[in-house]
Amino acid sequence: MPHYVVFFHLTHQGLDHLRGSPDRVDAAKKTFSQQGAKVKDFYSMMGQYDSMFIVEAPNDDVMAQLALTVGAQGNVRTETHRAFNEDEYRKIVKSIP
């Protein structure tokens, strides 16, 4: 199953409701699970991003729908990247002519 890294930036609304953030993380995990995706890890971060998920999802369409669903709530902006594990990376490199 494809892996993704989803970076989150808190919006003004998200900062105003920061104390509810842990509950929103739980709700997002549940939403992801209902769509066949799994949040493998959550990290709160210092620096450019406020937090991140590492996610397994069935495909890009499901991941895009989930990122838009979370972002539409207004507490965070998302930035999603497809991540390739080592085996996938080696296969990609091997296929280069």
Side-chain angles (χ1 to χ4, degrees), residues 36-54:
K38 180 179 181 185
V39 177
K40 309 250 325 154
D41 287 304
F42 165 83
Y43 295 94
S44 178
M45 302 173 67
M46 296 172 25
Q48 183 177 356
Y49 305 103
D50 296 306
S51 59
M52 68 178 271
F53 280 170
I54 297 175

Side-chain angles (χ1 to χ4, degrees), residues 5-97:
V5 179
V6 184
F7 295 104
F8 299 101
H9 297 275
L10 288 167
T11 63
H12 182 66
Q13 175 180 309
L15 287 169
D16 284 349
H17 300 100
L18 189 60
R19 292 195 188 276
S21 181
D23 292 335
R24 288 192 297 275
V25 170
D26 292 339
K29 287 180 176 181
K30 183 177 179 183
T31 298
F32 279 48
S33 179
Q34 291 169 340
Q35 296 300 318
K38 180 179 181 185
V39 177
K40 309 250 325 154
D41 287 304
F42 165 83
Y43 295 94
S44 178
M45 302 173 67
M46 296 172 25
Q48 183 177 356
Y49 305 103
D50 296 306
S51 59
M52 68 178 271
F53 280 170
I54 297 175
V55 177
E56 284 184 349
N59 56 53
D60 291 349
D61 292 347
V62 169
M63 188 64 245
Q65 181 263 333
L66 288 166
L68 289 169
T69 297
V70 170
Q73 295 173 8
N75 296 297
V76 293
R77 291 184 319 277
T78 65
E79 183 178 317
T80 304
H81 298 265
R82 172 72 163 85
F84 299 91
N85 65 29
E86 185 176 350
D87 289 339
E88 292 168 323
Y89 164 75
R90 290 178 182 278
K91 182 178 177 184
I92 292 166
V93 171
K94 188 176 181 180
S95 71
I96 296 172

